[in-house]
Amino acid sequence: LEEKDSPVRSAVEFIVNGRMRDAHDQLVEGFKTLGLLKELQKNPTVFHDIFVCQEKPLTARDLSSLFTVAYFAQGSNRRALENQLRMMVHSLKDVLVFTSGASAIPPLGFPCQPEIQFLHDTKKIYPEANTCGVVLYLPLHSSYEAFKTFMTEGILQAPSFLNGHECDSERLH
């Protein structure tokens, strides 16, 4: 029992000093060519956020700046309905998971620009999403209360539907 940590230390040392050594040396050499290694060593806290990803709480500003909105033409009846829409659901993280499958915005962003589109089909009452294209399809309702109810129900029920499903080009309900 006294030597229980020894195999773990040996394994970590092998991985760090053995397998990862070449990659580490190559990274260090790359930093040296630009004079960046000295700056990293002098000011490690300045570079911490660049090299270490930390998940921060999602804000409304993050979510609203993430998506572009595909509106109908200004002055149209459909645009008037779209303008009435205000999104409010259980949590912003739920909206992001529903739309993209990700619980946080990736450090390098999504591979494509997330988008919001509107569902003008009156038979569709729940939100839909294309997690591959990161598109959120919002249903239009005659009242904000109806929109909020169906939006919340649709998004909160989605995690059990999404678990274990592969990404395809179909819209998910």
Side-chain angles (χ1 to χ4, degrees), residues 89-147:
V89 294
H90 188 260
S91 82
L92 297 173
K93 185 175 179 180
D94 292 333
V95 174
L96 188 63
V97 169
F98 179 81
T99 307
S100 68
S103 60
I105 298 172
L108 298 177
F110 289 102
C112 55
Q113 174 65 49
E115 186 176 4
I116 294 174
Q117 293 185 17
F118 297 96
L119 296 169
H120 288 276
D121 182 345
T122 57
K123 294 177 186 170
K124 297 191 177 201
I125 60 173
Y126 291 104
E128 299 178 4
N130 177 321
T131 56
C132 295
V134 193
V135 180
L136 176 62
Y137 299 92
L138 298 178
L140 297 172
H141 293 277
S142 58
S143 74
Y144 174 69
E145 286 306 313
F147 167 77

Side-chain angles (χ1 to χ4, degrees), residues 14 81 95 121 165:
F14 170 73
L81 287 171
V95 174
D121 182 345
H165 288 75

Side-chain angles (χ1 to χ4, degrees), residues 13-64:
E13 187 175 317
F14 170 73
I15 290 171
V16 172
N17 293 330
R19 293 170 125 189
M20 301 301 290
R21 189 49 151 190
D22 290 339
H24 175 266
D25 291 345
Q26 189 176 11
L27 181 65
V28 168
E29 286 303 313
F31 284 151
K32 282 181 183 176
T33 60
L34 299 173
L36 189 57
L37 184 61
K38 288 180 185 176
E39 292 302 316
L40 280 167
Q41 291 169 332
K42 283 194 282 186
N43 306 298
T45 56
V46 173
F47 292 95
H48 183 267
D49 290 341
I50 296 171
F51 293 106
V52 179
C53 176
Q54 293 180 337
E55 189 173 320
K56 62 180 181 120
L58 191 62
T59 66
R61 176 171 279 154
D62 293 336
L63 200 58
S64 65

